[in-house]
Amino acid sequence: MNHPQRTKMMRSFSLLTVIFCFFSLSSHAALLKMNVSSTPIQVGNSVSVDLVLTQPFAGITNGVLAAFGFNLDFDDSALTLANTLLASDWSDDSAFYANTDLAASHFPGVSDTGQSEILLATFMFTANSVGDFIFKVSSDSQQFLGEQGLFFFDENFDSITFDATANATISAVSQVSEPSAMLLLLVASGFIVRRKLKA
């Protein structure tokens, strides 16, 4: 799933959630959002990133969300992808698509029930090294027709490409001081000095 030839380090400023609009010729107005689980992140921490579709049926008439597919891009020296969890009732079809890192389908499709968001997947990472890094998902339905993008079964049979990015700053593990030990040492030193003065 993780292709080293595509992964590279990309600089950013802070841990945040970034929302990007879909690129589409249709009137679909959905947004893709990536939520990072925690901040700050230290080396060795586990980090989860939720891929969420907001306003999922804006511009869709009498349709269902049937499938999606995209590629992943991240620096695999800084982050290790430990697991990818599809949302409930989605089937993993990645094995059928050589050019796509994650593909999934839903039967009979996710219907419009007025929901404001749809969780698509959760990525579980381990932080390996200090720095600012980007985790990105992207699709190219023009190059990989029927394989990448969001796929709606509606009157237009919409296929929508998208890009979304989450930024992460990974810091070094904080050095834990030992104030209790230092306090005991000072108290013991004072006790010794006091005994010498009395003697």
Side-chain angles (χ1 to χ4, degrees):
M1 180 178 293
N2 184 16
H3 301 289
Q5 67 270 25
R6 288 203 310 273
T7 58
K8 61 181 178 180
M9 181 180 297
M10 294 175 284
R11 304 300 293 179
S12 60
F13 293 102
S14 62
L15 178 69
L16 51 100
T17 298
V18 181
I19 302 175
F20 283 84
C21 291
F22 289 104
F23 297 98
S24 172
L25 296 177
S26 74
S27 59
H28 197 277
L31 299 173
L32 195 69
K33 179 172 64 174
M34 298 184 71
N35 296 329
V36 184
S37 62
S38 60
T39 181
I41 300 172
Q42 293 185 333
V43 172
N45 285 171
S46 295
V47 183
S48 66
V49 180
D50 289 338
L51 183 63
V52 179
L53 180 64
T54 67
Q55 304 175 31
F57 294 98
I60 298 295
T61 304
N62 298 324
V64 298
L65 175 60
F68 63 82
F70 52 78
N71 283 328
L72 314 179
D73 188 8
F74 62 94
D75 179 11
D76 57 3
S77 68
L79 299 167
T80 298
L81 181 59
N83 200 7
T84 300
L85 306 173
L86 289 171
S88 178
D89 297 327
W90 285 90
S91 299
D92 190 350
D93 301 325
S94 306
F96 299 107
Y97 301 102
N99 298 309
T100 299
D101 290 332
L102 183 62
S105 60
H106 189 291
F107 182 81
V110 181
S111 301
D112 182 2
T113 60
Q115 65 270 53
S116 60
E117 295 185 340
I118 296 176
L119 175 65
L120 300 179
T122 299
F123 305 98
M124 305 298 298
F125 291 95
T126 301
N128 297 329
S129 60
V130 174
D132 297 327
F133 307 99
I134 289 179
F135 171 71
K136 180 180 180 180
V137 298
S138 60
S139 64
D140 186 353
S141 64
Q142 300 301 314
Q143 184 175 354
F144 304 111
L145 184 62
E147 185 170 336
Q148 292 190 11
L150 281 173
F151 300 95
F152 290 86
F153 288 165
D154 67 344
E155 59 187 17
N156 298 315
F157 291 96
D158 279 320
S159 173
I160 302 167
T161 59
F162 61 86
D163 293 274
T165 304
N167 300 345
T169 296
I170 303 173
S171 60
V173 176
S174 300
Q175 297 297 318
V176 180
S177 62
E178 299 181 4
S180 298
M182 291 297 296
L183 181 60
L184 287 174
L185 180 61
L186 291 173
V187 170
S189 299
F191 179 74
I192 293 172
V193 171
R194 190 179 302 113
R195 290 197 61 180
K196 285 185 177 181
L197 290 175
K198 286 184 178 180

